[in-house]
């Protein structure tokens, strides 16, 4: 990739309600696909109140999240031994490789900018844990 510019409204918003066996249901805009980035995963995630992202980890990828709108409860660590944080609009959170993490929208709506690198498919859906079961 040399360079690219895209506006949010030009990136299709995808409903994931039929994906991943119902473990998570937010809508997503796959910004990296629109920009053609090779090393960065970049998504905008749209949540309604009580929608969650499953507790999961990545083998090699670091992830950074910026809360554009709303408030999120974030859980880090192994199932049964998690640390919980609240992150509001304007806040960041991140998880390194091998660190289990997941989050829930605790406001009416929420929007997250998620950036990860390297851009590799390194998560295993079989290892997902429903956020409420952590």
């Amino acid at each position: 990739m040399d360079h690219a510019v895209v506006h949010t409204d030009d990136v299709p918003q995808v409903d994931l309600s039929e994906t991943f066996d119902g473990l998570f249901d937010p809508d997503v805009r796959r910004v990296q696909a629109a920009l053609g980035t090779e090393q960065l995963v970049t998504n905008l995630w749209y949540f309604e109140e009580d929608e969650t992202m499953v507790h999961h980890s990545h083998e090699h990828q670091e992830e950074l999240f910026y809360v554009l709108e709303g408030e999120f409860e974030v859980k880090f660590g192994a199932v049964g031994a998690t640390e919980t944080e609240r992150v509001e609009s304007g806040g960041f959170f991140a998880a390194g490789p091998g660190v289990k993490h997941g989050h829930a929208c605790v406001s009416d709506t929420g929007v997250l900018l998620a950036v990860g690198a390297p851009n590799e498919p390194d998560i295993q859906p079989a290892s997902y844990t429903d956020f409420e079961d952590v």
Side-chain angles (χ1 to χ4, degrees):
M1 184 195 98
D2 183 288
H3 67 279
V5 175
V6 68
H7 189 277
T8 302
D9 293 339
D10 295 330
V11 180
Q13 189 166 325
V14 178
D15 177 3
L16 294 178
S17 61
E18 302 291 323
T19 310
F20 299 103
D21 297 324
L23 285 174
F24 58 96
D25 189 19
D27 290 354
V28 64
R29 291 183 196 263
R30 301 249 183 234
V31 177
Q32 85 269 7
L35 291 172
T37 59
E38 296 171 12
Q39 298 302 313
L40 287 176
V41 175
T42 309
N43 294 303
L44 286 171
W45 292 98
Y46 296 84
F47 293 81
E48 300 291 326
E49 186 173 22
D50 297 326
E51 283 186 329
T52 64
M53 177 59 69
V54 294
H55 198 66
H56 68 285
S57 64
H58 301 270
E59 187 176 346
H60 302 287
Q61 189 180 81
E62 278 187 317
E63 278 190 301
L64 170 98
F65 300 88
Y66 178 67
V67 181
L68 291 164
E69 177 186 307
E71 183 177 359
F72 290 82
E73 179 179 311
V74 184
K75 295 180 182 179
F76 298 99
V79 174
T82 58
E83 294 181 27
T84 302
E85 299 281 344
R86 288 277 179 129
V87 185
E88 302 178 331
S89 179
F92 291 89
F93 60 97
V99 177
K100 291 199 83 148
H101 58 285
H103 47 269
C105 181
V106 295
S107 50
D108 290 340
T109 60
V111 181
L112 291 176
L113 170 64
V115 179
N119 184 5
E120 322 181 336
D122 69 348
I123 55 176
Q124 304 298 322
S127 70
Y128 289 173
T129 304
D130 195 358
F131 184 82
E132 288 82 18
D133 295 336
V134 174

